Amino acid sequence: MSRTGYTLPVFAVASAKAALLHLQKKLELPCEVALDLLGDTAYISIQQVARLDDTSALAITKSAPGDNLDLTRNTPIWAWVKLTAKQSQALILEAGEGLGKTATQEPAIYSYARRLFDANLLPLIPRDKTVTVSIILPEGRELAQRTSNEAFGILEGLALLGTSGISQPLSAADHLEEFQKILQAKVKNCPNLVFCIGSNGMQVAQKLGIKEEAIAPTGNWIGALLVEAGLRGAESVLLLGYQGKLIKLAGGIFNTSSHLADAKLEIISAAVVRICGNIEAAQAVLNANTADAAYKTLVELGLAESAFKALAETISEKAQAYVQKYANVALQVGTVLCDRQGNIIVRDAIASEILYQIGLHRNN
């Protein structure tokens, strides 16, 4: 059975609470702090805590996301807390080293995380005082380079985001079984399925007016669920989502978790060489930091449309061959590739046909 864990905001809040309690002489090591997760309670172990002077303290926890393939596992999370005379706010949150900032230099601390800070720290702050919390992620800047944060406008580190304190093991095998059961139920009433890859895919599906009953969740198990769709009698599957995920299928990678395999730039580069033989353009793609940056480079060179059209067609061809190999059935597969902002880059001819089959006009 897979173990759940906690999301990054939980450990940031735990460190801050531990530092504040230690400053108030209410906590000593070894210890755990109890956190209100806005409905649940968590008990988080504190690794280190120290008073720096009469008004400030530092505490450290380590991230424990459970049985998730999470790059923040065992990441140290520091919280520096300072108690001062009352200001306009009782609680001020700052981004220390390794915690990302938005383009306007605001800390990348989002709604759920801020509510956690409020729920757990405000009751501890004396009425005549203000607490300033600076969250420090010593490994955050380096780890952020392995994410798509910059594409979302999060700069210089990781973000405290999410809608829950519980880290569900979505990467664990028991979730594949859950997705298979959902697909089995959907295909009975909707033989033309849509696999929305990531939030981008769902965003585009809503724009296109695709009905929820046609949409089957996949996580990273696109290959396994394509096979499941074939075995359960589906007539077609539309792959719809962020190009940086779906492009992996063009290289024969059917589990899209970046922890298992990642060759996005190499696959795009190979497509460029195949369509025009432009080695300099291929090298520019390989030098890009993200798949989005590679796409923008190709737009500037006038090669994006042809390269990504070829990639979409390759994805569909390889997906159909994958199902034929492992399920021994023919399944029609079409592909729609989108950018990070949810804009459609390209669709292949089969995708247009599937959209027509599920009740949408080919030009939608």
Side-chain angles (χ1 to χ4, degrees):
M1 184 66 182
S2 299
R3 295 173 301 136
T4 59
Y6 298 105
T7 57
L8 205 59
V10 171
F11 298 99
V13 174
S15 288
K17 183 173 182 179
L20 181 56
L21 288 172
H22 186 65
L23 195 58
Q24 297 171 341
K25 300 181 180 180
K26 297 177 181 177
L27 178 144
E28 298 293 338
L29 289 176
C31 69
E32 293 181 330
V33 294
L35 288 191
D36 175 6
L37 298 189
L38 309 179
D40 295 300
T41 301
Y43 296 90
I44 306 299
S45 296
I46 304 304
Q47 305 294 314
Q48 298 288 334
V49 63
R51 179 189 293 263
L52 303 180
D53 54 38
D54 290 342
T55 61
S56 64
L58 179 72
I60 301 172
T61 60
K62 283 191 175 181
S63 171
D67 289 337
N68 252 320
L69 295 174
D70 191 314
L71 61 81
T72 68
R73 180 181 306 281
N74 293 323
T75 297
I77 300 104
W78 300 9
W80 172 84
V81 168
K82 186 170 183 64
L83 199 60
T84 60
K86 181 71 174 182
Q87 300 178 39
S88 58
Q89 299 171 260
L91 178 61
I92 299 171
L93 302 178
E94 297 180 346
E97 170 61 28
L99 182 66
K101 297 176 183 177
T102 67
T104 59
Q105 294 299 298
E106 291 294 315
I109 303 173
Y110 293 93
S111 176
Y112 178 76
R114 288 183 178 275
R115 289 165 54 211
L116 275 188
F117 276 107
D118 287 349
N120 289 278
L121 297 189
L122 287 178
L124 302 176
I125 301 173
R127 291 185 179 180
D128 62 340
K129 299 293 183 182
T130 284
V131 165
T132 299
V133 176
S134 180
I135 299 300
I136 301 165
L137 304 173
E139 300 171 358
R141 193 181 291 257
E142 178 183 354
L143 291 173
Q145 295 175 5
R146 295 158 56 189
T147 74
S148 300
N149 279 6
E150 285 194 11
F152 289 105
I154 301 169
L155 310 173
E156 301 177 6
L158 297 174
L160 300 183
L161 45 72
T163 58
S164 170
I166 306 297
S167 176
Q168 296 289 352
L170 293 174
S171 304
D174 53 351
H175 266 262
L176 171 57
E177 184 178 350
E178 179 183 335
F179 290 154
Q180 287 171 326
K181 289 178 179 177
I182 294 171
L183 185 150
Q184 291 163 16
K186 297 220 173 200
V187 77
K188 290 177 182 177
N189 300 311
C190 188
N192 301 296
L193 297 172
V194 178
F195 287 3
C196 290
I197 314 304
S199 58
N200 304 77
M202 188 62 70
Q203 180 182 349
V204 176
Q206 291 170 348
K207 285 181 183 177
L208 293 174
I210 295 172
K211 295 179 180 179
E212 194 278 333
E213 52 261 34
I215 298 172
T218 64
N220 288 310
W221 293 285
I222 300 175
L225 288 159
L226 281 168
V227 170
E228 187 70 23
L231 291 172
R232 299 295 171 176
E235 295 175 7
S236 69
V237 170
L238 179 68
L239 300 173
L240 189 160
Y242 175 50
Q243 54 98 350
K245 278 279 191 183
L246 279 175
I247 273 172
K248 295 181 183 183
L249 276 64
I253 301 168
F254 281 85
N255 184 317
T256 57
S257 170
S258 59
H259 296 273
L260 300 181
D262 190 3
K264 298 186 294 288
L265 299 178
E266 290 80 2
I267 293 166
I268 298 171
S269 176
V272 171
V273 172
R274 188 169 75 250
I275 64 164
C276 68
N278 189 327
I279 300 302
E280 290 183 358
Q283 188 60 54
V285 167
L286 291 174
N287 291 339
N289 290 325
T290 65
D292 251 12
Y295 170 69
K296 291 172 183 175
T297 295
L298 293 179
V299 169
E300 293 171 359
L301 295 172
L303 297 172
E305 183 176 354
S306 55
F308 279 82
K309 183 176 183 292
L311 284 165
E313 291 171 349
T314 302
I315 290 166
S316 296
E317 291 167 4
K318 293 222 171 186
Q320 290 172 158
Y322 190 91
V323 176
Q324 184 67 53
K325 178 178 180 180
Y326 290 105
N328 196 30
V329 296
L331 178 68
Q332 189 180 39
V333 180
T335 300
V336 178
L337 298 177
C338 312
D339 64 17
R340 271 291 184 196
Q341 287 68 48
N343 302 307
I344 293 177
I345 293 173
V346 70
R347 69 177 71 171
D348 64 10
I350 299 177
S352 295
E353 184 61 35
I354 293 172
L355 287 168
Y356 183 76
Q357 291 168 357
I358 62 178
L360 300 177
H361 195 276
R362 285 181 176 86
N363 292 327
N364 273 13

